[in-house]
Amino acid sequence: MDFHTVEKIGGTSMSDYVAVRDNVILKPVHSTSLYQRIFVVSAYGGITNLLLEHKKNGQAGIYGQFANSVNDDGWQASLEQLKQEMLAINATLFDSAETIAKADAFISERLDDTERCLADLQRLCQHGHFSLDGHLATVREMLASIGEAHSAWNTVQLLQQDDINAVFVDLTGWQTDKHMTLDERIETAFAKIDLNTQLPIVTGYAHSIDGLMSTFDRGYSEMTFSRLAVLTNANEAIIHKEFHLSSADPRLVGEDNAVPIGRTNYDVADQLANLGMEAIHPKAAKGLRKNEIPLRVRNTFEPEHAGTLITGDYVSSKPCVEIIAGCKGVYAFEVFDQDMAGEIDSYDKEILAQIRRFKAHIVSKDINANTITHYLTASLKKIRRIRDALQERFPDAEINQQKVAIVSAIGSDMKIPGILAKTVAALAEKNISVLAMH
């Protein structure tokens, strides 16, 4: 296969078709040809939040409403609202009544099928012999697939109108009668595609026999993107976002004080993901790294900029901090027990089991002779549930939580003498209490 790239377009970028067409599709990074590229697309901005739940505040979408009340039809009203939102998007993208009607028919068919499936399942699970919990993973997968099918199908129609030979590659397995692994589904879909003359627009969601969401949840599109790059032996993987991978958040420090990184490595990308600022999901990055496929992160709205290139072997020419990142609203969850001394492993195992049970995310961790502190991103409700479960298991333990912020200095080579001392001094000058330092 000739030199080709696999490229992913984020949801915010997808919501601006003209920018995607002019800055991404019509401006290839590595050649003058529009082809020899595969595009994996996300749902339009905000759509997956409506389908599942809001990514930042956790507000329930259709999935959450359906999962939490078998006898309540509130999810149907939300599904109708979603339909109107999707039809409104179609109306802004297409010019003629004929193409709008065609686009509306495509997504309406999927939404109507979804409503019938959920209504039938709801009725079934009102019978005592059937449990809704056993079907929720499948419901989540089905709902997730709708957003990417909508954006990918629309993008193909729009590109064809602009005389680009785009083809719709639907990996959602909608109405499929055969279950496959992710790799089998990708290989089957691409068996007859000619990258020399066709521009595949691929759904970010891909149905697989194991279920992408059970492992990757909202990172599923990045796994599709990664496996596509690996299976087609891509020369480079490219992610198009609405911002650069920068030295700091321009919204916090000001645009003049943040610069695109330019180069870094997969270790740095993993550290960012742990803080919730994913360049790419760590498990998706693993496949790229193992197969020595470079990853480039570009800003859709600055097409002349080469972006940031991520490779496995990059180390900065001199020790330095490349990125300052962090997260607020983190809970320092501390378990102290005098009996812990010499029994750290058994305590740690139980604490981790409860954290996993309630699906809290561990950002960092401290251990000493009789205290284990986990720094968790989770709602206060989840924190209290973890606390109650552990208090029952360790009745003599003192369990405390404290809301903190994590600031992280990240780089490919951080062997800078005195960096920790300077960091603590800088925070102390601003009267910021340091709870832990790594």
Side-chain angles (χ1 to χ4, degrees), residues 32 56 64 105 107 169 173 189 226 240 262 289 354 356 388 399 411:
T32 56
K56 292 186 177 178
I107 197 59
V169 181
S226 172
H240 301 273
R289 184 179 197 166
Q354 296 303 330
R356 281 195 294 267
D388 290 345
I399 303 176

Side-chain angles (χ1 to χ4, degrees), residues 145-209:
S145 73
I146 296 170
E148 277 83 12
H150 180 223
S151 60
W153 190 91
N154 282 358
T155 302
V156 169
Q157 309 309 309
L158 291 163
L159 290 172
Q160 288 178 353
Q161 287 180 11
D162 291 323
D163 297 323
I164 296 167
N165 189 26
V167 291
F168 178 46
V169 181
D170 186 1
L171 298 181
T172 66
W174 197 263
Q175 295 183 334
T176 184
D177 58 356
K178 186 177 181 182
H179 293 286
M180 307 178 186
T181 65
L182 175 60
D183 286 4
E184 287 170 341
R185 190 165 296 282
I186 290 171
E187 287 168 345
T188 300
F190 277 81
K192 296 181 180 178
I193 288 178
D194 181 2
L195 292 182
N196 289 308
T197 59
Q198 295 176 307
L199 192 72
I201 307 298
V202 186
T203 56
Y205 171 83
H207 183 264
S208 72
I209 196 167

Side-chain angles (χ1 to χ4, degrees), residues 47 81 96 120 199 204 245 332 358:
I47 292 296
Q81 289 174 2
S96 71
D120 289 345
L199 192 72
L245 195 58
F358 293 104

Side-chain angles (χ1 to χ4, degrees), residues 135-429:
H135 301 282
L136 286 178
T138 303
V139 168
R140 190 167 177 83
E141 298 260 346
M142 178 179 70
L143 287 169
S145 73
I146 296 170
E148 277 83 12
H150 180 223
S151 60
W153 190 91
N154 282 358
T155 302
V156 169
Q157 309 309 309
L158 291 163
L159 290 172
Q160 288 178 353
Q161 287 180 11
D162 291 323
D163 297 323
I164 296 167
N165 189 26
V167 291
F168 178 46
V169 181
D170 186 1
L171 298 181
T172 66
W174 197 263
Q175 295 183 334
T176 184
D177 58 356
K178 186 177 181 182
H179 293 286
M180 307 178 186
T181 65
L182 175 60
D183 286 4
E184 287 170 341
R185 190 165 296 282
I186 290 171
E187 287 168 345
T188 300
F190 277 81
K192 296 181 180 178
I193 288 178
D194 181 2
L195 292 182
N196 289 308
T197 59
Q198 295 176 307
L199 192 72
I201 307 298
V202 186
T203 56
Y205 171 83
H207 183 264
S208 72
I209 196 167
D210 299 321
L212 275 188
M213 301 203 73
S214 61
T215 306
F216 305 102
D217 201 48
R218 296 286 288 267
Y220 58 83
S221 63
E222 291 170 9
M223 196 60 202
T224 304
F225 162 73
S226 172
R227 290 311 298 165
L228 253 170
V230 170
L231 292 171
T232 63
N233 195 26
N235 298 88
E236 188 170 287
I238 304 172
I239 294 179
H240 301 273
K241 291 180 174 283
E242 67 276 16
F243 48 79
H244 282 296
L245 195 58
S246 300
S247 56
D249 188 339
R251 293 167 295 186
L252 292 178
V253 303
E255 290 190 13
D256 294 340
N257 296 320
V259 295
I261 300 167
R263 284 298 308 272
T264 193
N265 63 35
Y266 280 113
D267 287 333
V268 169
D270 286 349
Q271 300 308 319
L272 286 173
N274 190 50
L275 291 167
M277 289 162 284
E278 293 183 9
I280 187 170
H281 193 288
K283 290 186 178 179
K286 182 180 178 181
L288 299 177
R289 184 179 197 166
K290 184 178 179 181
N291 290 273
E292 299 183 349
I293 300 173
L295 172 66
R296 188 181 298 273
V297 180
R298 303 189 77 222
N299 185 334
T300 301
F301 304 99
E302 288 188 34
E304 306 307 326
H305 197 289
T308 295
L309 188 66
I310 301 171
T311 56
D313 57 358
Y314 174 80
V315 178
S316 56
S317 57
K318 63 178 181 179
C320 66
V321 174
E322 295 172 15
I323 306 172
I324 297 176
C327 44
K328 56 186 179 179
V330 175
Y331 285 94
F333 186 81
E334 179 186 272
V335 180
F336 163 81
D337 195 328
Q338 200 68 52
D339 295 332
M340 191 183 296
E343 299 289 337
I344 285 282
D345 287 349
S346 59
Y347 276 81
D348 196 29
K349 184 177 180 180
E350 183 64 31
I351 295 169
L352 287 171
Q354 296 303 330
I355 290 172
R356 281 195 294 267
R357 176 186 170 193
F358 293 104
K359 298 180 180 178
H361 172 67
I362 301 170
V363 179
S364 190
K365 177 179 181 177
D366 275 328
I367 295 178
N368 62 33
N370 52 24
T371 306
I372 300 176
T373 304
H374 287 88
Y375 299 92
L376 305 175
T377 52
S379 65
L380 181 57
K381 184 178 180 180
K382 285 186 178 180
I383 295 293
R384 286 172 174 163
R385 286 178 173 175
I386 296 168
R387 178 176 181 154
D388 290 345
L390 287 172
Q391 199 73 74
E392 188 176 326
R393 176 68 179 80
F394 303 116
D396 296 329
E398 292 180 22
I399 303 176
N400 299 297
Q401 78 244 4
Q402 178 182 352
K403 213 167 191 180
V404 300
I406 288 180
V407 179
S408 185
I410 305 171
S412 54
D413 182 355
M414 295 270 289
K415 296 173 184 175
I416 307 168
I419 186 171
L420 290 181
K422 291 177 183 177
T423 301
V424 174
L427 291 168
E429 284 175 12

